[in-house]
């Protein structure tokens, strides 16, 4: 093995853009699942998203991007942030719904127990 095998791999500009495209695709899929209230698929698709984020964190840092690639990356990041915001809002709504259902179930159980006593 040459010396290069021991160095931390660095992405080139095209690889960075491709990685952001994959990240955006994962995010879009997650958003679609959130809009459909398919929470299981949302969690499953989040695995691919997190994996891509980790890959970018490890290898993107020293990548040299052209001005056009930097602009593309900025557009991707803006879109990712918008999608992330909507996903979080939908998750917050779902949490509120679940809290209401749990509260209702708890009240029903208390009433049932009171009648059985």
């Amino acid at each position: 093995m040459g010396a290069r095998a021991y160095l931390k791999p660095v992405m080139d500009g095209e690889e960075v853009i491709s990685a952001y495209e994959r990240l955006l695709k994962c995010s879009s899929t997650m958003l679609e699942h959130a809009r459909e209230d398919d929470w299981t698929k949302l969690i499953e698709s989040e695995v691919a998203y997190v994996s891509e984020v980790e890959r970018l964190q490890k290898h993107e840092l020293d990548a040299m991007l052209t001005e056009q690639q930097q602009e593309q990356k900025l557009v991707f990041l803006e879109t990712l942030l918008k999608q992330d915001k909507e996903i979080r809002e939908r998750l917050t709504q779902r949490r509120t719904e679940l809290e209401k259902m749990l509260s209702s179930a708890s009240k029903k159980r208390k009433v049932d127990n009171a009648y059985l006593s």
Side-chain angles (χ1 to χ4, degrees):
M1 273 189 200
R4 176 101 171 113
Y6 297 102
L7 297 176
K8 178 180 167 185
V10 175
M11 294 177 155
D12 66 24
E14 286 301 315
E15 291 172 319
V16 170
I17 295 305
S18 293
Y20 275 98
E21 288 172 342
R22 287 189 302 274
L23 198 59
L24 186 57
K25 183 177 180 185
C26 291
S27 177
S28 297
T29 299
M30 289 169 55
L31 180 56
E32 180 181 323
H33 293 315
R35 287 176 175 164
E36 295 171 349
D37 294 332
D38 193 339
W39 308 112
T40 302
K41 286 187 179 179
L42 170 67
I43 292 167
E44 291 170 357
S45 58
E46 187 177 18
V47 172
Y49 182 86
V50 169
S51 175
E52 196 61 48
V53 168
E54 289 174 351
R55 183 171 176 267
L56 271 166
Q57 285 177 334
K58 288 179 185 175
H59 304 294
E60 177 195 16
L61 188 59
D62 297 325
M64 298 298 289
L65 301 177
T66 65
E67 188 174 325
Q68 180 184 5
Q69 289 168 334
Q70 290 174 8
E71 290 172 10
Q72 283 180 291
K73 179 181 168 182
L74 181 60
V75 170
F76 288 139
L77 288 171
E78 289 171 347
T79 304
L80 287 166
L81 288 172
K82 287 177 187 174
Q83 290 181 341
D84 182 68
K85 181 181 179 196
E86 184 177 343
I87 291 168
R88 287 179 188 272
E89 288 169 351
R90 289 178 179 275
L91 285 169
T92 299
Q93 291 170 355
R94 178 63 176 159
R95 185 185 68 213
T96 301
E97 291 170 9
L98 291 173
E99 288 170 348
K100 287 178 183 176
M101 286 191 298
L102 288 172
S103 176
S104 177
S106 177
K107 288 176 185 176
K108 183 183 181 314
R109 190 173 35 247
K110 287 179 184 176
V111 169
D112 289 346
N113 287 339
Y115 279 114
L116 292 173
S117 297

